[in-house]
């Protein structure tokens, strides 16, 4: 064999034996890129419109209705092709498209979460300190607290008055609205602050949101800035200070979703964990046509605080929906669950070349590598993980490959560095084959998170393929 022949054999062998790791952009045709970019325009609109779990649930319900979904009624009979939905306490949604196969052969579940890290207002939030009015906050989810200062914030949520009337609040999204902000110390005076550990550069009780500075025009009384603010709120919403006690107000970054980069390859926005999987999952189920298996899309709340509570996936609301579905068809809940499959649709940490030392390159997902399939999550010895079986990974792999979905694998950072979990284990605990599949994210849990458009589109394609499998 000549040297040249040997070289070409090595090249062929390499192509045959090595894993394909080409950039998704190279692997996609021009027309696919066009479709991908267009898809992401819809995604950005969704991000701007649905910044909290309540807003996301409302948008999802609206889109479901216009796609022909009707409220699930456990007393009704359903047939293949019927589309139903259920809203749990305005914060979580389940959508289902009835398949042609009996439900006790299992359903195909997709589960994403629609809550994101943010600053929640305390129940007694309004204070005045030296003629500056603040809302006291309690952060929600795992954040680097210092990232949330000097960022324009909008305020979203509801206030329930003692008579039961509910007021919806959304200030700071319209260009003419005011915004709110947490202050930070100027560097000139921060030498002591800069010596604090990073977890305390900004302490929880320093996440005070500036809400006003003009006093009520009467010098005689104390706390006149607070009085003036309450007077403004009373005129606008008809509320008094006590009404905050029964309110849920959330401060989130006020900026809109934008393209990032000269090539517009990335999306920058607040709350992409996990609304990037929520949107792609939603689009996949809204467009589902006559699936064999019943398709169920869950868009849940409270993932970022551990999935506890009645709108989180540690509660029984999913199990009860499956039980009601089983009852409609006169089959056993446990048979439906045992034969079901689930893609836990949540983001993973994309390899960040600037901070490469926390990643193990060979087992990290990368931007533009496609949707990421994660066999197991957890931390330090797979603690708290749902570890999908090799058989189930094989099944999902076949579905993705058969449908030309661009995908990669990746785990969350180096073994001893940290880790994290998703809702996968709570669904797997119901006796469902479950695996994590989601979009790689840079700067996860920061006020501004980054994803790649090709990966977003690949996630949508993966969920579509799963529904049709
Ligand atoms: Mn997540
Ligand atoms: Mn998260």
């Amino acid at each position: 064999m000549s040297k040249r022949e040997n070289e070409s054999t090595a090249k062929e062998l390499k192509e045959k034996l090595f894993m394909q790791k080409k950039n998704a952009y190279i692997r996609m045709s021009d027309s696919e890129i066009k479709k991908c970019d267009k898809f992401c325009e819809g995604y950005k609109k969704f991000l701007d419109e649905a910044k909290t779990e309540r807003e996301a649930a409302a948008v999802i319900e609206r889109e479901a209705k216009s796609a022909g979904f009707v409220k699930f009624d456990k007393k009704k009979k359903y047939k293949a092709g019927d589309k139903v939905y259920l809203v749990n306490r305005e914060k979580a949604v389940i959508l289902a498209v009835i398949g042609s196969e009996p439900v006790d052969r299992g359903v195909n579940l997709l589960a994403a979460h629609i809550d994101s890290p943010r600053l929640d207002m305390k129940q007694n939030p309004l204070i005045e300190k030296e003629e500056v009015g603040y809302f006291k906050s309690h952060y929600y989810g795992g954040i680097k607290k210092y990232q949330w200062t000097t960022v324009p914030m909008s305020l979203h949520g509801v206030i329930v008055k003692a008579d039961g009337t509910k007021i919806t609040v959304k200030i700071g999204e319209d260009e003419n609205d005011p915004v709110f902000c947490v202050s930070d110390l100027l560097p000139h005076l921060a030498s002591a602050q800069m010596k604090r550990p990073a977890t305390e550069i900004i302490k929880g009780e320093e996440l005070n949101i500036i809400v006003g500075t003009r006093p009520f025009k009467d010098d005689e009384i104390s706390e006149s800035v607070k009085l003036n603010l309450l007077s403004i709120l009373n005129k606008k919403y008809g509320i008094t200070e006590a009404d905050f006690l029964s309110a849920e107000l959330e401060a989130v970054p006020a900026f809109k979703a934008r393209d990032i980069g000269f090539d517009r390859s990335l999306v920058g926005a607040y709350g992409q964990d996990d609304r990037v999987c929520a949107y792609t999952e939603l689009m996949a189920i809204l467009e589902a046509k006559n699936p064999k298996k019943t398709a169920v899309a869950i868009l849940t709340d409270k993932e970022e605080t551990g999935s506890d509570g009645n709108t989180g996936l540690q509660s029984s609301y999913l199990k009860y929906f499956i039980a009601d579905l089983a009852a409609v068809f006169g089959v056993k809940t446990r048979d439906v669950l045992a034969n079901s499959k689930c893609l836990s649709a949540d983001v993973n940490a994309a390899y960040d070349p600037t901070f490469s030392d926390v990643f193990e390159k060979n087992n990290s997902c990368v931007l533009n590598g496609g949707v990421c399939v994660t066999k197991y999550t957890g931390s330090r010895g797979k603690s708290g993980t749902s570890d999908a079986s090799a058989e189930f990974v094989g099944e999902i792999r076949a579905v993705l490959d058969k449908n030309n979905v661009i995908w990669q694998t990746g785990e969350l950072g180096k073994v001893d560095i940290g880790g994290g979990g998703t809702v996968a284990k709570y669904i797997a605990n119901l006796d469902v084959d479950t695996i994590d599949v989601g979009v790689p994210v840079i700067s996860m849990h920061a006020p501004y998170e980054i994803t790649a458009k090709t990966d977003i589109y690949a996630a949508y394609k993966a969920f579509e393929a799963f529904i049709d499998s």
Side-chain angles (χ1 to χ4, degrees), residues 112-113 115-117 272-275 277 303-304 345-348 421-423 444-445:
H113 65 93
D115 62 316
S116 298
Q272 298 201 71
D273 173 9
D274 185 32
R275 282 185 274 269
C277 296
E303 194 279 338
E304 294 295 357
D346 205 344
V347 298
N348 203 331
T422 65
V423 299
M444 196 194 294
H445 286 202

Side-chain angles (χ1 to χ4, degrees), residues 28 31-49 256-260 263-269 272 275-277 279-280 283 287 368 439 450-461:
M28 288 164 75
S31 75
E32 275 177 311
I33 292 291
K34 227 181 208 168
K35 277 189 211 157
C36 157
D37 289 350
K38 194 178 163 214
F39 182 85
C40 290
E41 291 306 305
Y43 170 51
K44 286 187 286 177
K45 277 201 193 104
F46 175 77
L47 286 171
D48 291 343
E49 205 183 358
K256 304 245 181 292
R258 300 282 290 266
D259 290 343
I260 292 184
D263 57 5
R264 296 179 171 268
S265 57
L266 308 169
V267 173
Q272 298 201 71
R275 282 185 274 269
V276 66
C277 296
Y279 182 75
T280 44
M283 289 303 114
E287 291 161 11
N368 294 305
V439 176
I450 300 170
T451 55
K453 289 180 179 176
T454 55
D455 301 333
I456 298 166
Y457 192 65
Y460 161 64
K461 286 290 172 196

